[in-house]
Amino acid sequence: MTQRLDYTAIAPAGTKALGSVYGYILQSGLPRLLVNLVYLRVSQINGCAYCIDMHSRDLIKEGLAVEKLVLVQAWREAGSLFDTRERSALAWAETVTRVADTAVPDADFQAASAVFSEKELADLTIAIGLMNAFNRLAIGFRVPPKAALAEQQDQIVATNTASLDTRRSATLG
């Protein structure tokens, strides 16, 4: 995948504004692990490889067990692996992200409101909106995930090494 453009360089003020929202979420009081689970789930729904890669790595760094990480997409079937707040946050993230299809029903709002305070729910919804914005930027401009960049680097190194070996053989041979 080739990146279409570097929006961070082209629109630094816009990127900085989104970063300010990200900073707000960090200091909002919502648990970082919970927010990153929501960021991952939103990115899975949107199919954003860059963000899936990034938030998966963040969750692993935060100590989330791989067994739990791989079940984020199927959290409803994961039994008690996800606690009440995590399940509620993931359900809210799904209905808000799919707003065009769900229209965010009253029942979904009531379920989330039963678990989160008004401020927590507002902050959680801001986080969901932010991740949806970042997903649209990364997908729209084809930002490659770090895993793909690492693979490209490995291929470049392998190609260069093979080329050097061929030249050395020709020189020595």
Side-chain angles (χ1 to χ4, degrees):
M1 170 169 63
T2 302
Q3 187 167 344
R4 291 176 171 163
L5 60 86
D6 181 356
Y7 67 89
T8 61
I10 295 167
T15 304
K16 183 177 179 182
L18 289 172
S20 294
V21 176
Y22 180 80
Y24 170 78
I25 295 303
L26 286 176
Q27 64 80 41
S28 71
L30 289 172
R32 188 178 187 101
L33 185 80
L34 181 75
V35 171
N36 278 324
L37 280 172
V38 165
Y39 286 165
L40 176 59
R41 185 65 191 118
V42 169
S43 299
Q44 289 172 335
I45 292 166
N46 290 325
C48 182
Y50 177 82
C51 293
I52 291 169
D53 180 66
M54 177 175 51
H55 297 297
S56 295
R57 291 170 191 272
D58 289 346
L59 285 162
I60 289 169
K61 286 178 192 168
E62 290 175 27
L64 186 73
V66 171
E67 295 81 7
K68 190 170 181 176
L69 176 68
V70 299
L71 290 175
V72 170
Q73 189 165 349
W75 63 269
R76 292 179 196 272
E77 290 81 35
S80 62
L81 191 60
F82 294 91
D83 68 29
T84 301
R85 284 175 62 87
E86 291 168 339
R87 287 193 305 272
S88 183
L90 292 167
W92 185 246
E94 288 180 0
T95 196
V96 171
T97 296
R98 295 181 172 131
V99 67
D101 297 325
T102 69
V104 189
D106 289 341
D108 291 355
F109 173 75
Q110 290 163 355
S113 294
V115 175
F116 294 103
S117 71
E118 288 182 348
K119 179 168 182 335
E120 288 174 326
L121 192 54
D123 289 341
L124 186 59
T125 307
I126 291 167
I128 293 164
L130 175 66
M131 190 47 47
N132 274 288
F134 275 130
N135 288 170
R136 279 143 182 81
L137 288 164
I139 293 167
F141 298 127
R142 303 285 187 261
V143 180
K146 285 184 182 179
L149 291 174
E151 184 177 310
Q152 287 173 353
Q153 280 299 107
D154 290 347
Q155 289 173 354
I156 290 168
V157 168
T159 301
N160 289 342
T161 301
S163 177
L164 280 172
D165 288 347
T166 301
R167 282 189 253 149
R168 282 187 190 135
S169 293
T171 303
L172 298 172

